[in-house]
Amino acid sequence: MLVLFAVIFGGIVTGRLLQSRRLAFVSRLIAVIIWALLFLLGLEVGSDPAVVGGMATLGRTAFVIFVFSVAGSIGASWLLWRRIRGRSAAGAEDAGLNPVYADPVPGRVSGAGDGTFDADISSGTVADQTSEALPNPALHRALCLPEPPDSEACKQAPTPASPASEPEKTLSMWGALKGSLVIVAFFVAGCVAGLFALVPFDVAGARVSTYVLYALMFCVGVTLGHDETLAGRVRRLDPRLALLPVMTAVGTLAGAALATPLLPPLAVTDTLAVGSGFGYYSLSSIFIADFRGAELGTVALLCNVMREIFTLLAAPLVARWCGPLAAVSIGGATTFDTTLPVITQAAGKPYAVVSIFHGCTLDFSVPFLVTFFCTL
């Protein structure tokens, strides 16, 4: 954990030192590293006889727990997002606040629609994180105050851009889907390579995935440090976002508990133990296998691998449909490391800090919650 923090911090310092240079290649490098990590994950899954042997029977159980627990986390995080935006919307319209932020944003106004709508007054451009926000006439008129409506300043006020057309939305969605299919392809290739022992050395023993993960975290740190506006946006984040790990845990565990009647003869403590892995498949599966046996340990491994892969695939769509907090929430404990780049791209760079805090909090909770439910 401390090593990962040090690597990210080193990347941030490097990014700050290189702010005067263009680092467009870093984003492409991050994509390549993610592909490598997914290949290594598939290699680990395919080379494990217990996972391969129980894939057919235990996979269904893992899938049901995965669906219910992720649905619960999405629902809980969406409620928090609506609560934060609902309380902030009225004040935002009057004072020029962004509902996500705690302080006024100079030169910007925010829409109160379901999407996050930011209009930059100085440049007249519009940033729409979800591509679904509609221009708010009341907020547009607020740009002209305290000038009279027929004043020159009011006439020159920028007009919000219209929402993206349907072809543009389709192309954007296809772009996200295309990237997801590439990710799946690398994972499947890793599974096949592990199943047929195509890799001549022990990847786990060589700690290849650990070093690749360090490279990913360093690149993420570089992108954060290179962004000159990130610090100001982070300071304006609403402090209530710190409740997100709690909402993720509550939603995940509630969903896992609701899945129990569909999975006899599992007890509710079994599904809660699996759900409390929060995507941390390596540690949670080891704990559960030790307390409840290899079979439930395999279920925990498959369920939490599914959660991590789902986050890598669906974070952009979840952010668009359910808000940025849901995109963070579905990643569980993995939002600190492997899924951080995807979530940062889907939810926005200011949510990188929220994502790291969310992942660290859940990461620390996994051993305690898994042990607690396994001993009940």
Side-chain angles (χ1 to χ4, degrees):
M1 179 71 71
L2 294 178
V3 176
L4 281 176
F5 272 119
V7 171
I8 292 177
F9 181 75
I12 292 174
V13 172
T14 303
R16 297 288 290 182
L17 295 175
L18 298 176
Q19 279 186 344
S20 60
R21 301 191 179 187
R22 287 179 55 84
L23 300 178
F25 70 93
V26 176
S27 60
R28 294 191 290 270
L29 181 60
I30 287 176
V32 173
I33 295 175
I34 290 176
W35 298 340
L37 275 175
L38 264 293
F39 179 82
L40 293 172
L41 175 60
L43 195 63
E44 183 179 342
V45 171
S47 59
D48 191 329
V51 176
V52 174
M55 192 71 74
T57 55
L58 302 181
R60 172 186 168 275
T61 301
F63 181 75
V64 171
I65 299 176
F66 151 73
V67 169
F68 275 78
S69 59
V70 168
S73 67
I74 290 176
S77 59
W78 180 82
L79 289 175
L80 176 62
W81 176 241
R82 296 294 295 180
R83 181 79 170 177
I84 291 174
R85 288 179 59 82
R87 286 190 171 186
S88 304
E93 291 190 4
D94 295 335
L97 293 176
N98 187 319
V100 182
Y101 297 127
D103 301 319
V105 184
R108 299 175 76 88
V109 293
S110 304
D114 290 336
T116 302
F117 175 81
D118 293 330
D120 192 323
I121 300 175
S122 60
S123 62
T125 59
V126 174
D128 182 358
Q129 283 186 355
T130 64
S131 301
E132 294 179 356
L134 298 176
N136 189 324
L139 290 180
H140 180 53
R141 287 195 298 271
L143 292 173
C144 304
L145 297 179
E147 301 289 340
D150 57 349
S151 68
E152 198 64 29
C154 185
K155 292 178 182 178
Q156 295 177 359
T159 302
S162 60
S165 63
E166 287 303 320
E168 289 174 342
K169 287 184 178 181
T170 303
L171 288 175
S172 176
M173 188 172 296
W174 166 244
L177 181 60
K178 184 179 179 181
S180 300
L181 292 176
V182 173
I183 288 175
V184 170
F186 274 91
F187 177 73
V188 172
C191 290
V192 172
L195 184 63
F196 294 100
L198 300 180
V199 178
F201 62 93
D202 183 7
V203 175
R207 300 187 64 196
V208 175
S209 59
T210 302
Y211 297 123
V212 175
L213 179 60
Y214 289 162
L216 177 63
M217 292 299 96
F218 182 80
C219 290
V220 170
V222 169
T223 61
L224 296 178
H226 192 258
D227 189 342
E228 298 179 359
T229 65
L230 181 61
R233 286 182 286 164
V234 167
R235 283 194 295 268
R236 294 191 298 269
L237 282 174
D238 195 306
R240 288 171 293 183
L241 295 175
L243 293 173
L244 182 58
V246 177
M247 299 301 289
T248 298
V250 170
T252 298
L253 295 178
L258 290 174
T260 307
L262 302 176
L263 301 171
L266 292 185
V268 66
T269 53
D270 294 330
T271 56
L272 288 173
V274 173
S276 59
F278 301 123
Y280 197 165
Y281 58 86
S282 57
L283 183 64
S284 61
S285 61
I286 291 172
F287 271 84
I288 293 174
D290 187 49
F291 280 99
R292 296 291 179 91
E295 190 171 289
L296 191 63
T298 302
V299 171
L301 175 63
L302 293 174
C303 177
N304 288 291
V305 166
M306 289 177 189
R307 181 164 190 164
E308 180 174 338
I309 294 175
F310 176 76
T311 304
L312 293 170
L313 296 176
L317 297 180
V318 172
R320 174 177 296 183
W321 293 337
C322 305
L325 297 190
V328 178
S329 182
I330 59 174
T334 68
T335 61
F336 169 61
D337 42 50
T338 53
T339 60
L340 177 59
V342 175
I343 291 172
T344 302
Q345 293 174 0
K349 286 184 179 179
Y351 289 92
V353 175
V354 178
S355 183
I356 291 173
F357 171 75
H358 176 267
C360 288
T361 303
L362 292 178
D363 202 342
F364 283 119
S365 73
V366 168
F368 300 102
L369 289 176
V370 170
T371 303
F372 173 74
F373 290 122
C374 285
T375 53
L376 288 179

